[in-house]
Amino acid sequence: MPSKFFRVATEGATTDGREIQRSWIEQMAKNFNPAKYGARVWLEHYRGVQPDSSFAALGDVLSLQSRPVEDGKLALFAQIEALPALLAMNKAKQKIYTSIEVDPDFAKSGEAYLTGLAVTDTPASLGTEVLKFAAQNPDASPYKGKKHSEGALFSAAIETDLGLEGDADTIASTLITRFSDLLKNLRGIAEPKPTPETTNDFAVKTLEVLGAADAAIQRQATELAETKTAFTKLQSDFAALTVKLSQEDGSGTQRPQATGTEGAAKADC
C-alpha cells in the first residue's frame, strides 16, 4: 500500500560538510525510476546481508517529487511502499526521521540520483556534532562504510511524516477485502455452472437417494415388528414354563406313588 508523499530532504546540509544543491533535488525528482535503479528504505543506512537480519530492507521508494517549501527552498518528497516492520516502527513512534542517500554523479551521468532512503532516530538538530566530525574527518566518518560509492553523500536527518500514522489498520482492512474478493472470484471460476442436463441428473439422483432411504426405513420397521412378535412369544412361553415348574414336587427323598401290579407275573411257591 503506497504512502502519501512526505518530505525526505531540503536543500542544505549533508553529513560530510557539502550541501544538497537545488539542482540535485530537481534532478532526483526528474530522473528517479524504480525500473532503472530501485532505492530501498534502510535502517540507519545499514544494508543487511541476510534477509531476516535486523538490518533487512524496510520498504521501497516508489516515486519522487520536488516542491518549494518555507524560505523559498526546494524540498524532495517521496512516496514509499512500507513493509510491515516499518509500519510497526512508525506506529510505535520509532525511526521517525529520514535521511536520503544521493549520488551527485550517478552512473557518470553528471546528474544526481536517489540511491536509498534511511530511517533513523537521530535528527539533524541533535546530530550536529556527528555531522561536524564527519565533515572534518572524512576517513573516520561513521557514514563512510555505508556509502555505495565514494562520491555519494547522506543528507542530515529531518523529522518526517511518513503518512503511515493510523494507516496500518486501513492497509490491513484493504488487503483482507481484496483477498476475500479474490477468493469469491476463484470460487466462481472453480464451481461448475448448472445446465439443464446436470440439473435433471441431480434431481434423479436425489429421488434415488430418497427412495433408497425410504426402503431402508420400511425394512427396519418390518424387522422391528418381527422381532417384537418373537419377543412376545418368548415371554408367553417363559410364563407357561414358570407355572408348570411351580407345580412340580421339589423333594429329592419322596418315592413316586405306586400304581399297582396288574399284569405282573406271580411266583410259584
Side-chain angles (χ1 to χ4, degrees):
M1 178 67 67
S3 72
K4 70 178 185 181
F5 279 89
F6 58 93
R7 190 194 303 198
V8 293
T10 305
E11 57 178 303
T14 69
T15 59
D16 62 0
R18 287 179 285 177
E19 290 190 355
I20 296 178
Q21 300 175 17
R22 189 183 188 91
S23 60
W24 291 357
I25 292 180
E26 294 171 340
Q27 292 165 7
M28 283 187 285
K30 178 191 68 173
N31 296 331
F32 185 75
N33 181 2
K36 177 181 179 181
Y37 186 88
R40 307 215 72 185
V41 181
W42 304 100
L43 180 65
E44 300 287 354
H45 294 290
Y46 284 106
R47 286 161 167 73
V49 177
Q50 299 296 329
D52 57 349
S53 74
S54 299
F55 295 99
L58 299 173
D60 294 277
V61 178
L62 301 178
S63 182
L64 296 177
Q65 294 179 354
S66 60
R67 301 177 189 174
V69 291
E70 62 277 357
D71 300 328
K73 292 184 177 181
L74 195 65
L76 187 67
F77 289 75
Q79 182 185 47
I80 69 171
E81 183 174 15
L83 294 177
L86 181 55
L87 288 173
M89 287 183 194
N90 187 257
K91 194 169 185 178
K93 300 296 184 182
Q94 300 297 312
K95 308 300 176 183
I96 60 174
Y97 303 93
T98 56
S99 170
I100 66 170
E101 302 176 2
V102 53
D103 188 338
D105 185 19
F106 180 73
K108 305 299 181 182
S109 64
E111 293 193 350
Y113 194 92
L114 180 80
T115 57
L117 178 67
V119 291
T120 178
D121 273 333
T122 307
S125 58
L126 297 180
T128 303
E129 293 301 320
V130 176
L131 301 184
K132 182 177 179 181
F133 173 83
Q136 296 177 351
N137 303 274
D139 291 335
S141 170
Y143 304 105
K144 182 178 180 180
K146 302 177 184 179
K147 297 181 180 182
H148 79 283
S149 67
E150 185 176 351
L153 66 151
F154 301 154
S155 68
I158 60 172
E159 185 174 2
T160 56
D161 178 8
L162 297 184
L164 301 175
E165 182 63 29
D167 288 348
D169 294 338
T170 302
I171 293 171
S173 177
T174 301
L175 291 176
I176 291 172
T177 301
R178 288 182 180 178
F179 185 68
S180 298
D181 292 341
L182 177 61
L183 287 180
K184 290 179 181 178
N185 292 335
L186 290 176
R187 290 194 191 101
I189 295 173
E191 292 177 355
K193 300 295 184 293
T195 62
E197 293 75 17
T198 56
T199 301
N200 291 337
D201 291 343
F202 178 77
V204 171
K205 290 181 180 178
T206 301
L207 290 175
E208 290 176 353
V209 171
L210 291 176
D214 183 64
I217 292 172
Q218 291 181 5
R219 184 169 60 254
Q220 288 181 348
T222 301
E223 293 175 354
L224 180 61
E226 292 175 352
T227 301
K228 184 177 181 180
T229 300
F231 180 72
T232 302
K233 186 177 183 303
L234 286 174
Q235 281 185 315
S236 178
D237 292 345
F238 180 76
L241 179 61
T242 301
V243 171
K244 182 179 180 180
L245 291 177
S246 67
Q247 295 174 350
E248 294 289 337
D249 184 0
S251 174
T253 58
Q254 185 177 355
R255 292 179 61 189
Q257 183 178 0
T259 60
T261 58
E262 289 89 355
K266 294 182 180 181
D268 186 9
C269 298

